[in-house]
Amino acid sequence: MDENLTLQNTPGEKKFKLLVVDDSDINRAILIAMLEEEFQIREAKSGQEAVEILEEEIDEISLVLLDVMMPKINGFDVLQIMNDKEWIRQIPVMMVSSSDAMELVKRAYELGAADYINRTMDGILIQRRVSNIIRLFERQKESLRRVEAERASLVEEKYWLQNKDELTGCWNFNSFKRRGEELIQENPDLEYSLWYADIRQFKFINETFGYDEGDRLLKYWVNMLLEYLDEKELVGRISADQIVVLTHKRENWKFAERFLVSTDKIRNFFNEPGINYDVEVVAGVYLCDTEEARSLTINQMLDLANVAQEEAKKQSGRCYQVYSHELWEKQSRAMKIKKHLKSAIENGEISVWMQPQYNYVTGEMVGAEALCRWNHKSLGNISPGEFIPILERSSQVTMLDRYVWEEVCKSLRRWQEEKRLSIALSVNISRIDIQEEGFYDYIKDLVTKYEIDPKLLRLEITESAYMEDSEQIIRIVEQLRQDGFIVEMDDFGSGYSSLNMLKDVPIDILKLDIRFLSETEYDAARGGNILSAVIRMAHSMNLPVIAEGVETMEQADFLKNLGCKIMQGYYFARPLPFEEFEQLLDRQQTGDLAINFHGEGLRNLSEIMDARSASGFVFDRCIGPSMLVEYDGEHMAVIMVNDAVFDVLGLEREVFEQKRHDFLGSVGSPYKEDMKEAMDEAIEYGFARGRGSSFGKSGWAQATYRLVSSGAYSHILFMQIEDLTKAHSMETEIEQLNRELLDYMDLMPGGMFRFEADGDMKISHVGKGLLDLLQYDSWEAFSEKFGDSFQSLVYEPDRARVIKEIRACAHREYCYCAHRIERGDGKIGWYYACGHAVKDNEGKTWYYVMLIKLDKAKQELFGVEDKLGDVE
Ligand code: C2E
Ligand code: CA
Ligand code: CA
């Protein structure tokens, strides 16, 4: 038996209360006497009173002893009432009577009485029966309670399924909306806000980290939000990663702070060493801050929060955006744009304009980009900067682009038929276009249909597209290139991609928007560095660069010095209506250029003083032929080169451009070694002068090198070229004179030769007259006799003296001595040598010598009379 069902917990403590109902005072007293020892007793003198007591104290009473026969309301009537009020289920009723008539007993049981006893029954027995019935009933009640509890939990489960989100435990969308509407209505004094949030690229997260991880992330996030909210606030999940929060204003919108904290926490959810992925949450917020704002349905509020969220999503790094009326207007503008596109194309509201591209070096127009313009029926002129992104988001941009491409193809076709100058035209291809089914076929069919060379229709694909769907795009671009299309990467430098990536994507031309570099520019030098790095990189990969957004001559000159010559921008021409563009193209044909490219241009003082343009100006015009180069000990790349270099070296720009990224590789020996030596020296000492070298037919130049900066792997050097052609030509003149002198030696009658003043007095040139004078038939015979030394020419006995005399006058201007020479006829004669010293351009001193034969008279004169005899 259950412990808690003992009738008395402790002796003396009566646990159960009985209601004794009898109109007879005696009968009541007898019953009470039998039972009061064990039970608390409550008395009622009539059926009426019994009902009143039960009404009040039903929960305290455990059993009713009910007299059958009573005036007015008898026992059966009370039973009936208890039945009606369902009390009978809660409390057992024991009927008490002095009659055992069967129909009475039957009636009592029918009405739900638990027992029927005769008043005359033994007191002890009555006591037992009362206890038993109470116990039985309590037990029944207990199991009933259990069943009830089970049923309740079942109901709760059902409720859960109907109202809660299984994954996160927050509200599901329907109940969020219902509860949310109730809360807003029930709390008119609370200022609510509705947040509509999701995770950027949640699909990517699921696919990359797995769905379980995605689920874990959502649970973590929702729990973080739930923790913060009170009972008058809600979190709900619409689907996937879309979470809605209804929160009210406490302490200055603390929720916004909380939201930012939660976004900060989940940002690093996947980050650990080796994994680097920032989870980004973005929300739109609708504020119920006015009566009007509150009056919307929650669905409408969600729509507007959604509008705000879309706006927030457009800005990278933005966590939330509060809805405002301006936003709404912006969105409704967007709606007008989206809705009217089709009719706008049909009505001619959209036209194709052209912006020319020029070769800044030659001044030729080399291409043009098609840019669309929309004169909207109700909105007026709207800029592609506004409508293109809208149409991209709604995937309608393809309709527009296909129209533009077709217009461009038509023009190309017409030009061909009219035999006009035809240049390549670029069209813009949106990422959406490529994703569209059949893009490749469409483009191919277009050039087939209009019979144009694919290379005349250039395709500009923006850099960011390559980042997003790289594989698909790379595949399609590769196909197009194989078919002869030229593909340009547009907007390079807008910040998404690295230079390194260029190696992996198949493109023909890099389109570099220099505004991307200058807009964020706080110092122009950095922009210049990036620019030069990009251009160098592109050149080293043989990738031509088109610079766009060129607005000033300084920029154009700067780009040209960096080696980029194809340009597009307001400096050259704005986008023009098609007819105007055609006229310009026709003038181009006759050589009438839009701008004078090489004109000096008017520079006022302030322009020159402007820090940004001054250095460019100086580099360009003031310092003479110069280059800025990068040298890594092995290779040298030319970063900047000014026009003067081309002028002085007479270089072909085209030829130079091909070599500029490996300039040393194009220089032959020994100049290459000389340059390296000089640059190494400049790196060590800061400055070095290179050896002079020749170029072209008669040019002669010498470079000086200054170290600008040293990096870990390479050095930047400033190389200034000095034109030594004039100085050099003087040297060559001298050499020429020398040569002529030697020629004269041949022609002169009499003995002429030259020998080196130093060393062993080598003879280098012997005039024909000398051979005659000394009676030798040929140079061979002469050199067989004397070798090629002046010393051996001198007759041996005179030799030591002669050497001494000549050494004594060495490096002076003249030398002279008398000595004997053994002649070809075997005789020995006296001669007088008279030499004039001349330095050659290598610094050697030579004596140009005239040899005179001394006859007897002259021997006397020179004091060398035949001392040894044996002389003529
Ligand atoms: P984008 O392809 O980068 O085109 C160059 C934009 O720079 C054009 O703006 C052009 O007018 C502008 N621009 C050119 N030179 C200069 C300059 O020196 N200074 C300044 N400040 N701006 C210059 P636009 O025509 O407003 O076009 C904006 C963007 O809209 C284009 O950027 C392109 O992404 C898109 N777009 C234009 N037409 C089409 C089209 O037919 N199809 C597609 N998919 N996109 C287009
Ligand atoms: Ca473009
Ligand atoms: Ca561009």
Side-chain angles (χ1 to χ4, degrees):
M1 184 179 136
D2 288 346
E3 227 46 64
N4 52 356
L5 289 183
T6 47
L7 298 181
Q8 273 179 297
N9 270 354
T10 46
E13 193 195 310
K14 298 170 195 166
K15 200 173 168 191
F16 297 102
K17 194 191 261 184
L18 311 179
L19 175 62
V20 178
V21 188
D22 207 316
D23 58 319
S24 149
D25 293 342
I26 300 170
N27 284 348
R28 237 174 28 243
I30 296 170
L31 272 173
I32 290 170
M34 284 175 200
L35 297 164
E36 72 183 344
E37 204 175 311
E38 262 192 73
F39 302 98
Q40 294 177 53
I41 306 291
R42 187 86 168 85
E43 295 174 59
K45 293 188 192 88
S46 66
Q48 174 71 34
E49 194 185 352
V51 171
E52 281 164 16
I53 291 172
L54 282 172
E55 193 94 56
E56 289 289 303
E57 299 167 34
I58 182 129
D59 289 335
E60 291 155 38
I61 289 165
S62 301
L63 183 135
V64 181
L65 281 150
L66 184 58
D67 180 20
V68 173
M69 296 305 187
M70 286 188 293
K72 285 193 201 150
I73 299 177
N74 67 26
F76 291 126
D77 294 335
V78 174
L79 255 186
Q80 186 60 54
I81 291 168
M82 287 182 73
N83 261 309
D84 292 348
K85 302 213 175 214
E86 298 204 336
W87 292 338
I88 200 80
R89 290 215 229 148
Q90 232 175 315
I91 305 174
V93 178
M94 188 181 256
M95 300 302 282
V96 186
S97 173
S98 18
S99 156
D100 285 338
M102 233 5 245
E103 71 266 23
L104 292 183
V105 177
K106 211 174 140 204
R107 177 109 193 270
Y109 283 119
E110 270 168 9
L111 282 170
D115 205 355
Y116 189 102
I117 56 165
N118 197 299
R119 210 183 286 289
T120 56
M121 210 190 254
D122 183 68
I124 299 289
L125 274 181
I126 291 182
Q127 221 182 59
R128 268 288 124 76
R129 285 175 87 141
V130 167
S131 307
N132 280 339
I133 287 175
I134 290 179
R135 194 183 301 134
L136 254 174
F137 226 83
E138 285 301 314
R139 240 196 234 159
Q140 212 174 0
K141 267 211 264 182
E142 176 59 26
S143 58
L144 248 173
R145 255 197 299 274
R146 242 181 255 142
V147 168
E148 198 53 39
E150 261 166 42
R151 209 177 59 190
S153 88
L154 270 176
V155 168
E156 192 179 336
E157 199 173 305
K158 196 170 153 208
Y159 172 82
W160 180 267
L161 282 178
Q162 272 172 358
N163 295 286
K164 293 291 187 128
D165 174 53
E166 225 178 318
L167 175 69
T168 62
C170 69
W171 297 97
N172 65 25
F173 190 35
N174 275 330
S175 24
F176 176 88
K177 287 196 286 192
R178 199 179 51 245
R179 288 284 305 132
E181 222 144 50
E182 282 164 14
L183 279 173
I184 294 173
Q185 258 167 27
E186 286 163 12
N187 301 286
D189 46 328
L190 293 183
E191 198 174 303
Y192 274 106
S193 70
L194 188 62
W195 292 62
Y196 187 109
D198 66 23
I199 295 171
R200 284 186 209 250
Q201 296 198 296
F202 188 65
K203 187 164 160 274
F204 173 82
I205 291 177
N206 275 334
E207 283 162 4
T208 311
F209 299 101
Y211 285 83
D212 287 346
E213 283 297 290
D215 286 353
R216 205 165 65 81
L217 170 66
L218 282 176
K219 277 192 254 182
Y220 177 72
W221 182 28
V222 167
N223 275 325
M224 220 173 346
L225 295 172
L226 278 171
E227 246 174 53
Y228 179 74
L229 302 181
D230 67 21
E231 72 284 358
K232 288 178 178 170
E233 298 175 304
L234 301 171
V235 180
R237 185 160 83 122
I238 299 182
S239 69
D241 61 327
Q242 290 163 317
I243 300 293
V244 276
V245 180
L246 184 71
T247 173
H248 60 76
K249 184 173 175 176
R250 301 177 248 167
E251 307 160 64
N252 245 340
W253 290 120
K254 270 271 171 11
F255 182 77
E257 256 169 56
R258 181 71 187 186
F259 183 78
L260 291 180
V261 170
S262 79
T263 56
D264 262 356
K265 281 193 183 157
I266 76 166
R267 172 166 298 125
N268 295 317
F269 192 79
F270 295 115
N271 282 347
E272 53 181 78
I275 301 179
N276 214 333
Y277 184 85
D278 282 0
V279 180
E280 279 184 62
V281 162
V282 57
V285 187
Y286 178 79
L287 291 182
C288 299
D289 51 357
T290 61
E291 205 45 52
E292 201 192 344
R294 296 174 67 91
S295 67
L296 266 53
T297 66
I298 201 150
N299 268 333
Q300 290 169 322
M301 293 180 185
L302 280 167
D303 281 347
L304 298 181
N306 204 347
V307 165
Q309 192 207 29
E310 262 175 44
E311 191 62 27
K313 275 189 176 168
K314 285 185 217 157
Q315 302 163 42
S316 75
R318 173 130 208 176
C319 290
Y320 68 86
Q321 163 87 48
V322 178
Y323 170 81
S324 67
H325 190 65
E326 293 76 66
L327 258 186
W328 186 82
E329 275 187 345
K330 198 168 157 190
Q331 293 275 328
S332 77
R333 249 178 102 83
M335 272 312 292
K336 283 186 189 152
I337 288 171
K338 285 186 270 192
K339 267 204 192 140
H340 298 310
L341 175 69
K342 195 155 174 274
S343 61
I345 292 177
E346 287 160 4
N347 302 340
E349 283 175 35
I350 293 176
S351 51
V352 179
W353 289 34
M354 285 287 161
Q355 187 176 31
Q357 299 166 337
Y358 288 94
N359 179 327
Y360 187 50
V361 176
T362 63
E364 283 167 310
M365 193 198 287
V366 291
E369 177 179 3
L371 294 160
C372 63
R373 294 291 177 263
W374 188 346
N375 189 353
H376 194 283
K377 203 166 58 185
S378 60
L379 300 174
N381 277 324
I382 41 177
S383 118
E386 180 183 6
F387 64 79
I388 295 289
I390 291 171
L391 296 177
E392 276 181 335
R393 274 196 294 278
S394 66
S395 297
Q396 284 169 286
V397 73
T398 302
M399 193 197 297
L400 173 81
D401 280 344
R402 290 186 171 184
Y403 168 73
V404 173
W405 305 337
E406 181 137 21
E407 287 298 297
V408 166
C409 288
K410 275 185 201 160
S411 305
L412 286 169
R413 175 79 223 145
R414 188 163 49 76
W415 288 348
Q416 270 174 36
E417 278 161 11
E418 293 169 0
K419 305 226 160 18
R420 284 168 111 143
L421 176 68
S422 186
I423 54 169
L425 299 180
S426 307
V427 292
N428 286 286
I429 310 264
S430 161
R431 180 174 50 86
I432 312 292
D433 297 331
I434 306 178
Q435 286 165 348
E436 192 84 3
E437 183 98 349
F439 163 73
Y440 170 78
D441 292 335
Y442 187 88
I443 290 276
K444 279 220 63 170
D445 292 350
L446 212 51
V447 290
T448 315
K449 175 173 164 195
Y450 289 99
E451 296 174 62
I452 48 182
D453 184 348
K455 72 171 185 293
L456 289 178
L457 184 69
R458 291 197 185 155
L459 312 176
E460 288 192 9
I461 302 175
T462 175
E463 173 207 72
S464 55
Y466 284 91
M467 301 306 293
E468 281 168 39
D469 315 282
S470 45
E471 264 173 45
Q472 188 197 12
I473 291 193
I474 288 173
R475 192 167 36 79
I476 294 181
V477 163
E478 202 38 72
Q479 276 177 313
L480 287 168
R481 293 179 70 215
Q482 275 167 18
D483 294 334
F485 287 95
I486 291 179
V487 179
E488 299 174 5
M489 182 186 270
D490 200 3
D491 299 338
F492 189 80
S494 57
Y496 290 96
S497 51
S498 66
L499 283 170
N500 256 352
M501 161 198 140
L502 282 181
K503 293 200 207 82
D504 308 323
V505 290
I507 49 166
D508 301 289
I509 296 177
L510 197 64
K511 234 185 148 185
L512 179 66
D513 196 324
I514 67 167
R515 284 170 293 164
F516 291 130
L517 302 175
S518 56
E519 263 167 23
T520 54
E521 221 29 76
Y522 40 92
D523 75 355
R526 203 180 128 253
N529 276 344
I530 298 174
L531 204 58
S532 80
V534 171
I535 292 176
R536 253 184 301 159
M537 176 89 173
H539 282 153
S540 73
M541 291 164 41
N542 281 328
L543 207 54
V545 176
I546 297 181
E548 76 177 313
V550 180
E551 292 180 343
T552 64
M553 179 160 73
E554 283 73 22
Q555 290 172 335
D557 284 345
F558 187 68
L559 284 160
K560 184 189 62 188
N561 291 339
L562 290 172
C564 167
K565 51 183 185 286
I566 310 297
M567 302 179 201
Q568 175 185 346
Y570 291 175
Y571 173 58
F572 301 95
R574 291 185 175 252
L576 301 166
F578 201 88
E579 301 72 50
E580 267 179 56
F581 170 73
E582 249 179 358
Q583 285 162 14
L584 181 69
L585 191 63
D586 287 348
R587 286 210 298 279
Q588 166 88 45
Q589 206 166 9
T590 60
D592 177 8
L593 292 187
I595 349 172
N596 177 10
F597 289 91
H598 296 294
E600 275 310 295
L602 252 184
R603 287 161 195 280
N604 57 35
L605 201 62
S606 70
E607 243 185 317
I608 297 169
M609 298 304 285
D610 177 8
R612 281 176 185 238
S613 69
S615 58
F617 175 76
V618 169
F619 182 76
D620 220 27
R621 324 240 159 167
C622 302
I623 50 174
S626 309
M627 300 201 263
L628 200 60
V629 304
E630 183 180 29
Y631 171 63
D632 65 2
E634 200 47 53
H635 304 98
M636 173 185 130
V638 178
I639 303 171
M640 295 226 284
V641 53
N642 61 16
D643 281 348
V645 170
F646 297 101
D647 293 345
V648 68
L649 299 186
L651 273 179
E652 285 288 331
R653 196 177 266 272
E654 289 304 324
V655 179
F656 175 82
E657 295 300 349
Q658 285 157 21
K659 298 174 178 173
R660 71 183 287 157
H661 65 270
D662 180 19
F663 193 76
L664 278 182
S666 69
V667 176
S669 281
Y671 303 128
K672 181 176 173 176
E673 288 70 27
D674 287 350
M675 285 177 75
K676 281 173 74 170
E677 197 176 297
M679 287 193 286
D680 290 336
E681 199 182 317
I683 288 164
E684 199 168 341
Y685 302 109
F687 174 84
R689 187 178 291 277
R691 220 173 275 177
S693 56
S694 65
F695 61 88
K697 274 208 194 90
S698 59
W700 197 260
Q702 186 175 34
T704 52
Y705 301 83
R706 280 185 185 78
L707 183 64
V708 175
S709 68
S710 271
Y713 303 105
S714 66
H715 310 268
I716 306 290
L717 296 160
F718 182 68
M719 178 178 174
Q720 213 169 356
I721 298 162
E722 220 175 319
D723 187 357
L724 294 181
T725 308
K726 270 214 188 93
H728 193 257
S729 74
M730 269 167 72
E731 270 174 35
T732 33
E733 239 166 73
I734 291 172
E735 207 169 296
Q736 180 66 21
L737 278 174
N738 267 332
R739 239 188 328 263
E740 282 170 15
L741 204 61
L742 296 176
D743 288 346
Y744 283 133
M745 281 160 61
D746 272 350
L747 297 175
M748 296 264 285
M752 295 200 68
F753 64 99
R754 81 171 187 175
F755 69 88
E756 215 179 325
D758 302 301
D760 50 5
M761 304 184 176
K762 216 166 107 169
I763 295 176
S764 90
H765 198 95
V766 174
K768 219 173 150 305
L770 182 81
L771 296 178
D772 294 344
L773 185 70
L774 299 179
Q775 298 182 18
Y776 285 93
D777 299 340
S778 64
W779 164 247
E780 282 74 29
F782 178 88
S783 65
E784 200 177 307
K785 178 81 189 158
F786 303 111
D788 57 358
S789 165
F790 174 64
Q791 292 176 15
S792 47
L793 178 67
V794 177
Y795 187 52
E796 206 272 325
D798 297 344
R799 210 170 277 160
R801 171 183 56 87
V802 166
I803 290 172
K804 212 168 140 197
E805 281 177 24
I806 288 187
R807 290 272 185 251
C809 54
H811 301 298
R812 297 209 203 123
E813 282 187 41
Y814 302 100
C815 75
Y816 29 81
C817 56
H819 58 85
R820 286 168 291 186
I821 296 176
E822 201 175 335
R823 285 204 311 256
D825 60 358
K827 296 192 173 151
I828 293 163
W830 276 99
Y831 295 88
Y832 185 74
C834 171
H836 180 178
V838 173
K839 256 198 180 132
D840 70 6
N841 47 15
E842 282 168 32
K844 269 188 206 162
T845 305
W846 294 89
Y847 284 119
Y848 286 75
V849 181
M850 169 97 97
L851 199 72
I852 308 166
K853 188 173 178 203
L854 299 180
D855 53 22
K856 285 270 183 227
K858 284 187 189 126
Q859 287 173 27
E860 258 171 57
L861 197 66
F862 282 87
V864 289
E865 267 164 291
D866 188 9
K867 287 177 191 132
L868 301 167
D870 189 27
V871 172
E872 248 182 14

